[in-house]
Amino acid sequence: MSKEVIVVRGNSTLTGEVRIAGAKNSALKLMAATLLGQGPSTLHNVPVISDIEIMSEVLTTLGASVERDGHDLFIDTAAVDRCVTPYELVSKMRASISVLGPLIGRFGAARVAMPGGCQIGARKIDMHLVGLEMLGVKFDVDHGVLIASTPNGLNGAHVVLEFPSVGATENMLMAAVAAKGHTVIENAAREPEIVDLCDMLNSMGCKISGAGASSIEIEGVELDDLHPCEHTTVGDRIEAGTFLAGGALTGGPLTVVGIDPSFLKMSLLKFEAMGCKIEAQADRITISRDHPLSPTDIQTLPHPGFPTDLQAQFMLLAALADGISVITENVFENRFMFAAELMRMGADITLEEHHAIIRGVKRLQGAPVSSTDLRAGAALVLAGIVAEGYTTVYEIGHIDRGYEDYVGKLSSLGADLERRSL
């Protein structure tokens, strides 16, 4: 974790234009997918964040070479000859579990330590394992390490996921492309990042149809028929939503560039419900607000529902709205840890199991607060921008996991903040 803090001087207004980086939740999985290409692939629009550095280390440990030039990554997996990922890397980041599927697809075996990441809930990988078992994968656990084998090879299957898990869908995709025969994934995740992964896999020689729908079909191909590729990562809808929340918070106008507005349909509807004006074009969204924030009710759901990764940002908006809002968290059971930090700044929030009742207040006060997870950290910085006085945000290593130059981008929009060493 970072040994720095972010100090914010409040009562700023965020206006102007900011370019959104490539999607963290897509780029990490695209990096894992290069294992199937067995050669030099190029990924464009890759964010400069700590999670990408960790995934680069994971791939390097497996025998790949990873080089960065700005926002381009050059990954050569030709020399990968190991299928073991060590605990010291995997425990730092949950997304490391995404190498499980491509390692099984390439080698028919894998040894992957159980994942770590944000402390926002159990986030069990049961669905990953159940789905892969239906493809013929056998799992054993040895001292916290998953040991995967395919004694009878990989074979296509009809799989129905209990929940549209993004991670389980991705791991199944990257294994099923190398299975014999036809695979169907029912109740598959529909996130834009899933579509991005499928687009890349198809450019590598895979045969996938239905990406973005609840049923995805995969026709297995021979591993030797897969090849490296060049691919551009889609824009990060959560980073875009975070900056849009900043514009909604202070009134804007604020424009995010480099994002497909269709990725944020439900979130944009909620911004409008809270009294914001939205103008969307092909790759940009502008938000502004002339009236007080209105309360609203939100339920987090898998895409295309309201994203859990924007729940904290909207809780902040609700904390300053003129009335009572209710947020229901249906995805991660511990994500309301953010509420306690926001209450330190004067928010009026009552928690009842997976519901948060937020009574809007007139103002927030600066205070020392701590990032409880990636999105909470980003939201606390935004809270400091509108709070009275100074806010110091601790544990900002969480923020660095998913936001490229967050302080720099906010400064360019008019915020008064800086990173300081402890």
Side-chain angles (χ1 to χ4, degrees):
M1 282 295 170
S2 174
K3 298 300 182 182
E4 296 177 302
V5 295
I6 295 176
V7 179
V8 191
R9 182 170 180 246
N11 296 313
S12 301
T13 299
L14 300 177
T15 60
E17 183 175 292
V18 61
R19 176 159 289 280
I20 299 306
K24 156 184 143 31
N25 289 335
S26 191
L28 291 168
K29 317 309 170 58
L30 302 178
M31 292 173 70
T34 63
L35 290 165
L36 292 165
Q38 307 172 86
S41 290
T42 301
L43 299 179
H44 301 293
N45 198 31
V46 179
V48 182
I49 55 176
S50 61
D51 269 11
I52 296 294
E53 294 176 10
I54 295 171
M55 183 60 86
S56 296
E57 290 183 57
V58 170
L59 293 177
T60 300
T61 298
L62 294 171
S65 68
V66 183
E67 296 181 8
R68 179 186 279 277
D69 181 7
H71 290 95
D72 297 331
L73 275 189
F74 306 97
I75 305 174
D76 191 343
T77 60
V80 170
D81 58 359
R82 295 184 292 280
C83 56
V84 180
T85 55
Y87 173 77
E88 57 265 28
L89 288 177
V90 179
S91 62
K92 295 179 182 179
M93 183 183 67
R94 179 180 172 78
S96 301
I97 196 66
S98 61
V99 300
L100 180 63
L103 285 176
I104 291 170
R106 179 164 174 175
F107 296 108
R111 292 174 63 94
V112 179
M114 300 292 281
C118 287
Q119 300 303 307
I120 54 176
R123 309 179 83 180
K124 296 177 180 177
I125 61 169
D126 296 1
M127 280 182 286
H128 299 239
L129 307 188
V130 170
L132 290 168
E133 283 175 341
M134 294 188 71
L135 297 176
V137 183
K138 182 178 181 295
F139 287 103
D140 292 300
V141 178
D142 181 22
H143 297 284
V145 175
L146 277 174
I147 303 172
S149 60
T150 52
N152 299 309
L154 282 171
N155 295 285
H158 192 118
V159 182
V160 181
L161 293 178
E162 178 183 343
F163 176 86
S165 162
V166 173
T169 301
E170 290 165 339
N171 259 327
M172 284 205 60
L173 279 167
M174 290 188 279
V177 294
K180 294 180 180 178
H182 190 72
T183 297
V184 177
I185 306 174
E186 297 280 2
N187 200 25
R190 300 167 61 185
E191 274 73 3
E193 295 80 14
I194 293 288
V195 178
D196 199 26
L197 175 61
C198 289
D199 286 345
M200 176 173 164
L201 289 171
N202 282 337
S203 71
M204 296 171 72
C206 301
K207 297 178 179 179
I208 304 170
S209 60
S214 58
S215 180
I216 300 178
E217 299 191 30
I218 308 105
E219 197 66 46
V221 298
E222 294 294 329
L223 190 62
D224 290 344
D225 292 334
L226 298 181
H227 52 78
C229 73
E230 185 171 354
H231 183 82
T232 300
T233 312
V234 296
D236 194 318
R237 61 196 170 99
I238 305 303
E239 184 193 11
T242 300
F243 281 104
L244 289 172
L249 200 60
T250 67
L254 186 152
T255 300
V256 293
V257 181
I259 186 68
D260 184 339
S262 70
F263 291 0
L264 285 164
K265 281 183 181 179
M266 183 58 68
S267 303
L268 297 182
L269 287 173
K270 289 298 180 181
F271 278 126
E272 290 178 330
M274 299 191 80
C276 301
K277 181 182 178 182
I278 298 290
E279 297 178 16
Q281 299 177 26
D283 70 336
R284 65 182 56 214
I285 306 167
T286 299
I287 193 167
S288 58
R289 177 176 60 83
D290 299 322
H291 305 288
L293 284 164
S294 299
T296 191
D297 292 345
I298 289 171
Q299 290 195 53
T300 64
L301 290 167
H303 191 80
F306 186 89
T308 184
D309 279 351
L310 288 177
Q311 182 251 94
Q313 297 88 319
F314 272 78
M315 183 180 286
L316 169 59
L317 295 178
L320 291 166
D322 186 15
I324 300 174
S325 302
V326 178
I327 296 179
T328 302
E329 175 58 58
N330 294 310
V331 181
F332 292 136
E333 64 268 28
N334 290 343
R335 204 142 212 176
F336 284 153
M337 290 191 298
F338 165 73
E341 298 302 306
L342 197 56
M343 285 189 278
R344 289 173 56 81
M345 302 179 71
D348 184 352
I349 304 171
T350 302
L351 302 181
E352 297 180 359
E353 295 181 343
H354 64 298
H355 304 288
I357 297 93
I358 306 112
R359 298 169 180 83
V361 298
K362 296 297 183 183
R363 64 188 62 85
L364 297 175
Q365 297 179 337
V369 291
S370 183
S371 303
T372 53
D373 62 72
L374 166 57
R375 308 306 172 183
L380 287 169
V381 174
L382 294 181
I385 289 171
V386 294
E388 295 178 342
Y390 286 87
T391 296
T392 302
V393 182
Y394 291 82
E395 302 295 338
I396 65 172
H398 285 299
I399 300 172
D400 294 336
R401 288 186 49 229
Y403 290 89
E404 178 181 324
D405 190 22
Y406 193 46
V407 167
K409 288 182 178 182
L410 286 171
S411 295
S412 74
L413 296 169
D416 185 353
L417 75 171
E418 64 177 338
R419 295 177 71 116
R420 292 182 186 170
S421 297
L422 283 173

